[in-house]
Amino acid sequence: MKLATLKDGSRDGQLAVVSRDLKTAHLADGIAPTLQAALDDWAFISPQLSDMYQMLNSGRTSRSFDFDPAKCMAPLPRAFQWADGSAYVNHVELVRKARNADMPASFWEDPLMYQGGSDDFLGPTDEIVLAHEEWGIDFEAEVAVITGDVPMGSTPDQAFQQIRLLMLVNDVSLRNLIPAELAKGFGFLQSKPASSFSPVAVTPDELGDHWQDAKVHLPLRSTWNGKLVGQPHAGVDMVFNFAQLLAHLCKTRNARAGTIIGSGTVSNKDAKRGYSCIAEKRALEMIDDGVASTPFMLFGDTIRIEMLDGAGKSIFGAIDQTVKQAEAKKSR
Amino acid sequence: MKLATLKDGSRDGQLAVVSRDLKTAHLADGIAPTLQAALDDWAFISPQLSDMYQMLNSGRTSRSFDFDPAKCMAPLPRAFQWADGSAYVNHVELVRKARNADMPASFWEDPLMYQGGSDDFLGPTDEIVLAHEEWGIDFEAEVAVITGDVPMGSTPDQAFQQIRLLMLVNDVSLRNLIPAELAKGFGFLQSKPASSFSPVAVTPDELGDHWQDAKVHLPLRSTWNGKLVGQPHAGVDMVFNFAQLLAHLCKTRNARAGTIIGSGTVSNKDAKRGYSCIAEKRALEMIDDGVASTPFMLFGDTIRIEMLDGAGKSIFGAIDQTVKQAEAKKSR
C-alpha cells in the first residue's frame, strides 16, 4: 500500500491512503490520524489501511479525491529518529580519493552512519530555503526505510522483520560547511539542514521482485535543472543492506517505531550511471582533471528525484524542489 | 511550574502537574494529554497548566495524589530532537589533554554539539540496560532545556525567548566505543545509548535568581554508588549559554517545539568540585599519574544526579539509576 501525509495546518498533517497509480487518495481519518499513530500500533492499524487501499485501487470508495503531491508533507513530517547510513561505499571512496584521503578498509565491513535532525522535515515539493549559496548547497538522492520497534541487539534478520515502509529522500547537504564541522569530531549538525521526502511511503510488497535482500533493485533518477544527471541502480554496490544498517544502529539501544534509516547517496562504480549528488561529480572531476568544475546549487535551481518501476511508472511520486534564498532578516 | 510524564503503558505517557515541593501531582488530562502536545500549543496550554500548578501548591485540588518519581517516564519519553552541546569547554580540554591531544582554540568560540538519538529515552529511575561492561559505561550529568519553535537564523536573544523548560540529563556514554566511532568521522551513534532525564521539567521562573544569562547558577550533584563524586557549579565555566547553543543549532535550519538541548557534562576548572562523568576523573588521573585508575561503571552500579536549591530542596527530583546487564539472548 501507499501512504501520504497531507498538509492541514497541523504539525503532523493528515494520513491518507494513495492509490497504486498515485492518481487518487482517501483520508485515513477514521483509521489513524497520522502516520506516526499508524506506526505506533501497526499490527492493528495497517490491515485497515490495507483494506482501504484495496478499495481505492478498485474504485470502490465514495470519498476519494485527486492526489496532489504539492499538498503533501513528508510522510513523517517530524520523526523521532533519522539515522543515515553510507551504504554505497563507492561514494565514500570517491569523495575521499578526490581529497587524497585513503579510505580505511574497515569501511567495507563496518557501516558509516550519522544521527540526523528529524524535527522539521520538508515535503516533496517544499522549497529548500537557505541563507547562503556559499554554503555549497547539494542534493543527495537516497532510499530510506521506516521501521517498527527494533530491540537493542537485534540481528539483521530480526531487524528486517521490522521494516514497514520505504521512501525516497533528498538529504540536503551544505558541502562547504562539512570539512570544518567534521574536523570538530562530533559529526554533522549545521552542514545537514532539513531533509525532504517523497510524496508517498510504500510497503515493501509494492516493490515486488525489486525488493530483495533488503535492497531496492531499481535505478534512482536525479534530474537537476531539468537534466537527468544520474540513474544509479540502488540494488548495485549497496554494501550494507537496510537490515544490516538497522542492526548496526541497534547494537547498543532500541530503535522505536517511526525510526527512519537512510541508505546514503546511491552510487554505482559504473560512472556512466551518473551521480546522485554534486559532490560525487566534483570528486570525479578532481580525480580526472585536478579541478572540480561543476558548481553546487544556486538559488532557483531545481532538483527532481524519482524511482520508476519496470513499466516506467513512478513508485513513490517525485521529490521536486527549488532552492530559494531565505529572507534577509533571517540570514546571518 | 513543574511537569512530569507518568507511565501509563503508552509511548508518550500521561502529562501531570507536580507541586513545587515534589510531593503531590495532578493529571493534566483535561488540558493536554502529553508534554509534546502542550509544547505544540504552549501559548494556549501553559496558562492552564500554570493555573493547575497554583491550585496544587495551595492544596486546593480534589484529584491530587502522591508524586512518585519511580512512576515517571522522561518528561519527553521520545522527542523530535536531542542535540547535546559541550558548553563546559574545561571538560573537553581535560579529556583531550589526557590523550595528549591539543584542543583547537576555536573550541572557545564555536560550540561543539552533536545530534543524539531521541526516540527512546529512559525515565529517572529506569535501569540502564547494556550488554557489556567492556563498552566502558559512564554517566554524564548535564542540564538541558526544552524549546518552542526556533526559526532558522535566530539570534541568541531570539532563541532565548523560546526556552520553555529545564531538566537534568544523564547522557550515558560508552567510552570504549567512542574512539573508533569518532575516528570514522560521522560522530556518535553506538557510543551514545539512551539518555535519561529527571522526574520533572520546570519552567525557568522556578529557578528564580539562579536562572541568569541563560545558565543555571547552582551546583549539579552526582552520587556514584552512594558517594558524592561531583558538585560542579553549572553557572561557572559554561562557555556557551543555552541561548547561544540554540542559535548555533539553528544556523541552517529551524528547531521545532520539543527540541531538547543539552549543556554537555558540567565541569569546573576547580577540580575540587569533583566530576560529572568518570571520563573526566580518569583524565585527571592520566594527567597527574600517567594512568587512569578509576574504572568505569559495572553492572549493579548506581548513579544519582540531582540539583538542590539554596534551601537544600530538590528542584527537578533525582535521576537515580542502576546499571544492569542485558539478557544474554539480546547481547551480541
Side-chain angles (χ1 to χ4, degrees), chain A residues 35-79:
Chain A
L35 181 53
Q36 184 63 52
L39 290 159
D40 283 349
D41 196 10
W42 190 251
F44 180 70
I45 299 289
S46 67
Q48 301 174 59
L49 295 172
S50 186
D51 285 349
M52 183 179 277
Y53 182 62
Q54 309 293 343
M55 288 178 65
L56 189 61
N57 284 328
S58 65
R60 289 181 295 112
T61 48
S62 55
R63 291 198 298 136
S64 65
F65 51 90
D66 289 349
F67 177 63
D68 179 2
K71 298 213 168 92
C72 287
M73 304 172 83
L76 283 175
R78 50 182 181 174

Side-chain angles (χ1 to χ4, degrees), chain B residues 29-254:
Chain B
D29 49 358
I31 301 171
T34 66
L35 181 53
Q36 184 64 51
L39 290 160
D40 283 348
D41 196 11
W42 190 249
F44 180 70
I45 300 289
S46 68
Q48 302 174 60
L49 295 172
S50 187
D51 285 349
M52 182 179 278
Y53 183 62
Q54 310 292 344
M55 289 178 65
L56 189 61
N57 284 328
S58 64
R60 291 181 293 113
T61 47
S62 55
R63 290 198 299 136
S64 65
F65 51 90
D66 290 349
F67 177 63
D68 180 1
K71 299 213 169 94
C72 287
M73 306 173 82
L76 283 175
R78 51 182 180 173
F80 294 108
Q81 177 153 251
W82 158 232
D84 196 10
S86 284
Y88 300 87
V89 178
N90 180 59
H91 166 79
V92 181
E93 198 170 35
L94 275 179
V95 172
R96 286 190 161 236
K97 194 172 171 189
R99 54 178 163 96
N100 288 315
D102 284 338
M103 190 182 75
S106 63
F107 279 28
W108 294 100
E109 284 121 48
D110 180 40
L112 200 57
M113 184 178 277
Y114 78 88
Q115 193 92 45
S118 56
D119 60 318
D120 188 47
F121 289 140
L122 300 178
T125 68
D126 289 348
E127 289 170 327
I128 299 166
V129 179
L130 291 165
H132 302 293
E133 286 174 343
E134 293 71 26
W135 286 342
I137 304 166
D138 200 357
F139 58 89
E140 281 196 2
E142 309 188 7
V143 181
V145 298
I146 307 178
T147 81
D149 291 314
V150 189
M152 178 169 65
S154 290
T155 64
D157 284 348
Q158 290 166 336
F160 177 77
Q161 301 301 324
Q162 298 303 317
I163 296 174
R164 301 287 187 235
L165 295 162
L166 291 114
M167 306 182 286
L168 304 182
V169 191
N170 180 11
D171 181 41
V172 180
S173 299
L174 302 175
R175 298 293 175 194
N176 296 337
L177 301 187
I178 288 179
E181 190 152 69
L182 292 195
K184 289 162 73 178
F186 274 22
F188 305 101
L189 193 87
Q190 296 176 337
S191 50
K192 292 280 186 182
S195 298
S196 323
F197 292 84
S198 53
V200 301
V202 312
T203 46
D205 60 291
E206 290 294 327
L207 294 165
D209 291 344
H210 302 299
W211 175 242
Q212 275 183 28
D213 188 28
K215 300 176 186 176
V216 178
H217 293 263
L218 283 168
L220 181 62
R221 298 163 60 89
S222 292
T223 305
W224 178 21
N225 289 335
K227 184 186 168 199
L228 181 69
V229 296
Q231 45 183 332
H233 196 287
V236 173
D237 300 326
M238 190 185 193
V239 176
F240 307 102
N241 67 21
F242 282 110
Q244 291 167 315
L245 293 175
L246 194 44
H248 180 79
L249 176 70
C250 293
K251 181 178 173 182
T252 59
R253 52 179 157 126
N254 307 310

Side-chain angles (χ1 to χ4, degrees), chain A residues 11 36 40 78-81 86 107 110-120 129-130 135 149 152-154 174 177 182 184-190 192-193 247-249 251-257 259 330 332, chain B residues 11 36 40 78-81 86 107 110-120 129-130 135 149 152-154 174 177 182 184-190 192-193 247-249 251-257 259 330 332:
Chain A
R11 293 173 183 272
Q36 184 63 52
D40 283 349
R78 50 182 181 174
F80 294 107
Q81 178 153 249
S86 285
F107 280 27
D110 180 40
L112 200 56
M113 184 178 279
Y114 78 90
Q115 193 91 46
S118 56
D119 60 318
D120 188 47
V129 179
L130 290 165
W135 285 343
D149 291 314
M152 178 170 65
S154 290
L174 301 175
L177 301 187
L182 292 195
K184 290 163 73 179
F186 275 21
F188 305 101
L189 193 87
Q190 296 176 336
K192 291 281 186 180
H248 179 78
L249 176 70
K251 180 179 174 184
T252 60
R253 50 176 156 128
N254 309 309
R256 301 304 302 271
T259 287
K330 293 206 174 150
R332 312 174 69 199
Chain B
R11 294 174 184 271
Q36 184 64 51
D40 283 348
R78 51 182 180 173
F80 294 108
Q81 177 153 251
S86 284
F107 279 28
D110 180 40
L112 200 57
M113 184 178 277
Y114 78 88
Q115 193 92 45
S118 56
D119 60 318
D120 188 47
V129 179
L130 291 165
W135 286 342
D149 291 314
M152 178 169 65
S154 290
L174 302 175
L177 301 187
L182 292 195
K184 289 162 73 178
F186 274 22
F188 305 101
L189 193 87
Q190 296 176 337
K192 292 280 186 182
H248 180 79
L249 176 70
K251 181 178 173 182
T252 59
R253 52 179 157 126
N254 307 310
R256 300 305 302 270
T259 287
K330 291 203 175 156
R332 310 175 70 196

